[in-house]
Amino acid sequence: MLTLDTNVRRRRWRQTPVHRRAMWMTLWAALPALLTMAGLLWVGDFSPRVGWTFGTLAVLFLLGGIAAVRSTVMRPLQTLANVLAAVREGDFSIRVRGSADDDSLGAVIREVNTLGETLRTQRLGAHEAEALLDKVMDEIPVAVFAFDEDCHLALVNRSGELLLARPEKVLLGHSAAELGLGECLTGEPEQIAELDLPGAKGRFKMHREPFREGGKRHELLVLADVSAPLREEERQAWRRIVRVLGHEINNSLAPIRSLAGSLRNLISRDPLDADWREDVTSGLDVIASRSDSLNRFMAAYASLARLPAPTKVVQPIAPLVRRAAGLEQRANVKVTPGPDLEVAMDGDQIEQVLINLIKNAVEAAGETGGGVEVTWADADARIEVCVCDEGPGIGTTSNLFVPFFTTKPKGSGIGLVLCRQIAEAHGGTLTLENRASGPGAVARLQLPKG
Ligand code: ADP
């Protein structure tokens, strides 16, 4: 006998057409035997009492048979239907009992019970994951908003509530424009935006991502207040710049001041020294040279700050590499051609990058008397230009791209920074590392194709 666990609600046994059919089929199956018995009792020489006794027994057996069919086949099916209906409505706690039989009905019952258990475990896992997600959403210091296809707010976390200085139930349903977030749903999906919101004002890193819910397009908007880190970053940058500028200016001004003092002493002597002219001339030469150096430094610094956005044109890389290599007069730069490739780039800027990289490679190779080779290759969606040298290689790579870092007496420390800035403005990358296959370094410039 199949029963539902007592902790679940019992469903009313309903008479369905299937039940009626089963009853009629049992009746029809028993009908020939009943008719035969009725005929025998009619024609036979039996007393009415015997007739009534057999008739009553036959009807009782028939009703017993119908009841047995209902309880062994129809009730289990109805119980299973009830369990499946409960599962459909989200009640996974119902189990069917008394299904130890190894027949097909027993197998179905076991499968249904396993299904209920699996769904219960999965729902528990989903609830736990949902609870964790809710907690994370409420704890992260990043505001998260979801807007429906009409740009009305459909979801907001606690940081979002703080940012808009209103509770969730007041905010939900308002349009992005009403909430002051209209601009965030247009333009670049990732940007730093200056926002003035009821709960905060400053620079925010904004990220927008579309997603679909119920087949409709929604927008997920994430806002992170980056004012403080940016201010700190700016402060650090200013400190670095002031340190470097101060160092450079002092390097030039200190000898100029001391020379100026020496020259004043020299020309104030009476009588003047015999070689005073040469001394003054050489002193003035040093002053001019220091001023030139300061001038070069300031020009290099200005070029870093004033780099314009690239004007990209699709063009082949080969002529550009050959031209840049040909400009180097101090050493022979070997160009090993790669495949014919075209890149969308600002020719002037990329040529400047190549000139800088080749200049560095030639200067490094000059220290050891080694060679320099430039080549390019296809790297999936990018092209890679390599400038290899057989110089001494790089001691420490951490400072290479730090503005004004140089190990050369007349270096500016701007070249690599400028080159990386240009590469990144093209959506590419620039790295400089020691060669794996021998002495020296290799600069790799990667640019997206087309
Ligand atoms: P600069 O050439 O004016 O020094 P860069 O920014 O071009 O400025 O280079 C910074 C520093 O990186 C150089 O001073 C040098 O120490 C190092 N460097 C650059 N290229 C190479 C190279 N091919 N091999 C070894 N060191 C290099």
Side-chain angles (χ1 to χ4, degrees):
M1 180 71 179
L2 297 170
T3 55
L4 293 180
D5 283 355
T6 45
N7 62 339
V8 304
R9 72 202 116 122
R10 287 181 181 272
R11 279 151 203 280
R12 203 161 55 85
W13 172 269
R14 273 167 294 156
Q15 197 77 14
T16 67
V18 180
H19 295 112
R20 274 198 294 277
R21 266 208 305 277
M23 196 179 77
W24 281 113
M25 279 162 69
T26 319
L27 272 176
W28 278 113
L31 197 60
L34 283 176
L35 288 176
T36 311
M37 191 193 74
L40 285 174
L41 286 174
W42 183 259
V43 296
D45 186 14
F46 298 106
S47 65
R49 182 191 276 185
V50 171
W52 277 112
T53 306
F54 274 98
T56 310
L57 279 175
V59 169
L60 286 177
F61 271 107
L62 182 64
L63 290 177
I66 292 172
V69 168
R70 282 176 61 165
S71 77
T72 55
V73 180
M74 301 316 299
R75 257 183 222 283
L77 287 179
Q78 184 60 45
T79 307
L80 280 173
N82 288 343
V83 169
L84 290 174
V87 166
R88 177 168 46 76
E89 286 167 18
D91 185 351
F92 302 146
S93 59
I94 298 182
R95 298 285 174 277
V96 186
R97 283 218 198 116
S99 58
D101 301 349
D102 214 8
D103 56 10
S104 49
L105 193 58
V108 171
I109 289 166
R110 275 196 299 281
E111 288 302 321
V112 168
N113 280 344
T114 314
L115 174 72
E117 184 55 33
T118 310
L119 290 174
R120 199 184 66 81
T121 315
Q122 284 179 354
R123 188 168 63 181
L124 193 65
H127 276 159
E128 283 171 357
E130 207 176 306
L132 178 66
L133 184 66
D134 281 350
K135 201 152 189 58
V136 171
M137 286 277 281
D138 277 345
E139 292 306 320
I140 48 170
V142 169
V144 180
F145 306 91
F147 289 92
D148 64 17
E149 58 175 353
D150 301 320
C151 292
H152 288 118
L153 189 67
L155 178 146
V156 58
N157 71 344
R158 197 178 299 155
S159 295
E161 290 177 303
L162 291 175
L163 204 57
L164 299 178
R166 270 169 288 172
E168 180 184 15
K169 56 179 186 300
V170 177
L171 294 170
L172 291 183
H174 280 86
S175 73
E178 287 165 352
L179 300 172
L181 298 171
E183 278 176 35
C184 300
L185 296 188
T186 55
E188 287 292 309
E190 183 131 19
Q191 50 174 293
I192 302 273
E194 188 83 40
L195 296 178
D196 187 357
L197 297 167
K201 180 181 174 182
R203 275 183 290 178
F204 288 82
K205 184 168 176 14
M206 190 206 94
H207 180 82
R208 208 175 60 236
E209 190 78 36
F211 71 97
R212 297 197 89 78
E213 197 186 275
K216 291 183 179 152
R217 187 190 160 101
H218 287 59
E219 293 283 349
L220 184 73
L221 176 68
V222 180
L223 291 178
D225 190 347
V226 287
S227 304
L230 278 182
R231 261 197 303 276
E232 181 52 34
E233 194 57 29
E234 278 169 7
R235 250 197 303 274
Q236 296 288 349
W238 274 115
R239 257 187 231 134
R240 258 196 318 267
I241 287 171
V242 168
R243 204 170 48 236
V244 172
L245 285 180
H247 176 75
E248 278 302 310
I249 291 170
N250 268 344
N251 274 358
S252 300
L253 285 188
I256 289 175
R257 190 174 336 106
S258 110
L259 271 170
S262 309
L263 292 179
R264 187 187 297 116
N265 280 346
L266 204 73
I267 56 171
S268 62
R269 284 187 199 148
D270 194 15
L272 287 164
D273 291 348
D275 56 351
W276 73 275
R277 269 179 207 283
E278 289 94 83
D279 287 348
V280 170
T281 312
S282 86
L284 288 175
D285 283 349
V286 174
I287 289 174
S289 136
R290 290 314 310 165
S291 312
D292 281 351
S293 149
L294 197 57
N295 207 21
R296 272 203 308 280
F297 171 80
M298 293 313 289
Y301 177 74
S303 71
L304 190 65
R306 270 195 262 115
L307 182 69
T311 314
K312 295 187 201 167
V313 178
V314 178
Q315 52 191 297
I317 190 77
L320 213 70
V321 174
R322 288 209 175 84
R323 216 170 31 243
L327 284 176
E328 184 54 61
Q329 302 293 320
R330 292 170 290 179
N332 184 29
V333 177
K334 182 176 166 205
V335 176
T336 306
D340 286 337
L341 293 170
E342 293 205 324
V343 190
M345 59 185 165
D346 185 320
D348 290 341
Q349 289 191 0
I350 296 298
E351 190 173 340
Q352 194 56 47
V353 172
L354 294 175
I355 289 172
N356 271 333
L357 298 180
I358 291 170
K359 175 189 85 75
N360 278 346
V362 167
E363 285 168 0
E367 293 180 33
T368 57
V372 174
E373 182 188 4
V374 189
T375 181
W376 63 91
D378 197 342
D380 296 330
R382 300 177 154 223
I383 75 146
E384 183 176 87
V385 184
C386 291
V387 182
C388 311
D389 65 70
E390 294 172 329
I394 300 144
T396 158
T397 49
S398 54
N399 287 334
L400 287 178
F401 292 91
V402 173
F404 313 114
F405 168 78
T406 181
T407 53
K408 302 170 192 168
K410 288 201 166 179
S412 65
I414 291 294
L416 286 178
V417 191
L418 198 63
C419 292
R420 180 172 269 182
Q421 213 167 309
I422 292 175
E424 286 175 356
H426 280 75
T429 57
L430 174 67
T431 57
L432 180 65
E433 61 203 4
N434 284 324
R435 282 169 61 204
S437 58
V442 52
R444 293 179 206 282
L445 169 69
Q446 285 204 348
L447 295 172
K449 276 189 215 158

